[in-house]
Amino acid sequence: MSALRIWSPAVAIERAWPRRLVGWLFLVASAAAVLFVREADHMSRDVFTTGASGVYGLVFGVAYLLNAYFGPDRAPGRDKLLAGSIEIDADVVTLDRVKDHTRIPRRQLEGGYLDVSRGECWAVLRQRSADAVWLRVRDVEEGRALLRAVGLAVEQHVFRTRLVSVAEEVLTPGARVAAWLVAVYGTMALGWAASRWLESDASGALIAAALGLCCVVVYGVLRLALPRAALVGTDGVSLRSFRARRFVPYASVAAVRADGRGVWLDQRSGPPLLLATVPRLSRRLLASMPKGARLGAATEVLLHRLNEAMAVAAPSDASAARFADLDRRGRSIDAWRRALEALAQGATGVAQYRRASVTEDDIARVLDDVAAPPERRIAAAIALTASGDPAVRGRVRIAASACANEALRHALERAAEGELEAADVELAERAHAHAAR
């Protein structure tokens, strides 16, 4: 593979460790303040103030760390932007700038996308360390070529983005402040009551009930307060929140639009679904905003990626009757695999394939067709990998990497490795059926 080299007037690497370090320092200092109160002999006003500050610091530190680890990528300041070039070969991404030379192994890249929200087109490459490479490109086509070269284009890899928490989506700023205060002081009150019960002769049942109530409260707070995520693949959008998953296939989406709150998926059956990228604002702030106000950067990025993914996901004829020989039809996994391998390798049944005019290219199209039933895509993966060609296995892995449906992605990966089991196929079928309701 020939190397791709692109020159850019603005290249920067946004490091993640400074924000994370600030969060950890807050946590350590706050924990020290709380421990100081615990060891104090008397509860003077100064000690109480120190303890309250420690609790506030703990809450702030946790919130800051969550944003640092799971929040959106921060655009670099203008002072960090330098002219330079990026060169991509089989194993390494090399950044050459005026002041430095950086080599990044491609295996360290876990995501990439195009940001067109600022009147310019930026290609952003995320590393596993959460560092992000920002590179201004001439246009969208050059950005797509860059992402394709590193294996992070829309048809090669899922895109993960942060969504605001349920509390930020539902509550206005004033209500969020009130909820914050209730959570902080409520936590302090529960902690104080629990410590008194443990020191007293309270019954075990009372203490167990109190601990159970605390667990329920903590679970509810986490469900409301933790940020959520959306995974955009070629087959649909997977929504993740605390202890919850939901997959929305593009077949159930009639249109995609955006406003000041985020991106809306207009479903063919059911109410529109909001992918909230911006916390809810008060009515007064909304009224003061101009009607033609620009969308937020996170909203623009998500909308652009969704439009690209849905364009790639155009259906073909992979559900046609001529592909019925790929179906399992109640056979065991081993029998199904043997039949598919025989058909693909020119053994028993290949004449039937030829009568149906199904070629290896047809099978490859079934693998890539997101509108095809999951069972047929899995069958195509089994048939294609029968040859043992590493390049073909790589193609199956790429198709799996672009799936937002986690069950189907897992099944395709297992098929590529020759480790597919009946439970994997059944789970993918159930997930597809559930999403289609």
Side-chain angles (χ1 to χ4, degrees), residues 94-288:
T94 304
L95 297 175
D96 276 315
R97 301 196 301 169
V98 176
K99 295 183 179 180
D100 54 50
H101 176 87
T102 305
R103 290 170 58 87
I104 305 172
R106 285 183 57 176
R107 63 178 181 274
Q108 294 297 324
L109 299 176
E110 68 170 4
Y113 59 92
L114 298 181
D115 185 339
V116 294
S117 62
R118 299 171 179 82
E120 302 167 332
C121 187
W122 293 83
V124 184
L125 306 179
R126 289 175 179 164
Q127 301 181 56
R128 297 186 186 280
S129 62
D131 294 346
V133 177
W134 288 72
L135 184 136
R136 191 196 303 167
V137 292
R138 287 195 306 268
D139 51 32
V140 171
E141 289 304 318
E142 186 176 63
R144 287 173 179 165
L146 190 155
L147 293 180
R148 194 172 296 111
V150 295
L152 298 174
V154 63
E155 69 274 11
Q156 297 171 313
H157 203 275
V158 295
F159 166 65
R160 180 188 179 102
T161 187
R162 176 184 180 274
L163 304 178
V164 300
S165 66
V166 175
E168 289 176 311
E169 176 185 342
V170 175
L171 302 178
T172 61
R176 291 200 296 271
V177 171
W180 172 277
L181 294 175
V182 169
V184 170
Y185 284 105
T187 302
M188 294 177 63
L190 283 174
W192 179 84
S195 65
R196 289 295 180 267
W197 285 339
L198 290 174
E199 293 175 357
S200 66
D201 296 330
S203 65
L206 180 60
I207 295 176
L211 291 176
L213 176 61
C214 289
C215 291
V216 171
V217 170
V218 170
Y219 178 81
V221 169
L222 291 177
R223 285 291 301 271
L224 293 173
L226 287 180
R228 298 168 293 174
L231 276 69
V232 180
T234 54
D235 54 343
V237 184
S238 179
L239 305 178
R240 295 183 177 183
S241 59
F242 182 70
R243 304 287 297 172
R245 298 287 188 273
R246 179 182 179 183
F247 175 67
V248 182
Y250 293 135
S252 67
V253 178
V256 178
R257 55 189 171 86
D259 60 16
R261 298 184 62 188
V263 178
W264 292 84
L265 303 180
D266 291 331
Q267 301 185 87
R268 299 185 188 279
S269 60
L273 178 63
L274 173 62
L275 309 182
T277 57
V278 179
R280 182 178 177 182
L281 301 177
S282 65
R283 292 182 180 179
R284 181 175 58 83
L285 288 174
L286 285 175
S288 65

Side-chain angles (χ1 to χ4, degrees), residues 17 60 95 102 111 149 172 185 187 194 213 245 273 296 311 317 329 340 353 366 378 419 427 429-430:
W17 68 264
F60 176 80
L95 297 175
T102 305
T172 61
Y185 284 105
T187 302
L213 176 61
R245 298 287 188 273
L273 178 63
D317 65 343
R329 297 196 299 273
L340 291 170
Y353 248 39
V366 172
I378 296 169
E419 300 173 352
L427 184 60
E429 286 287 315
R430 284 200 302 269

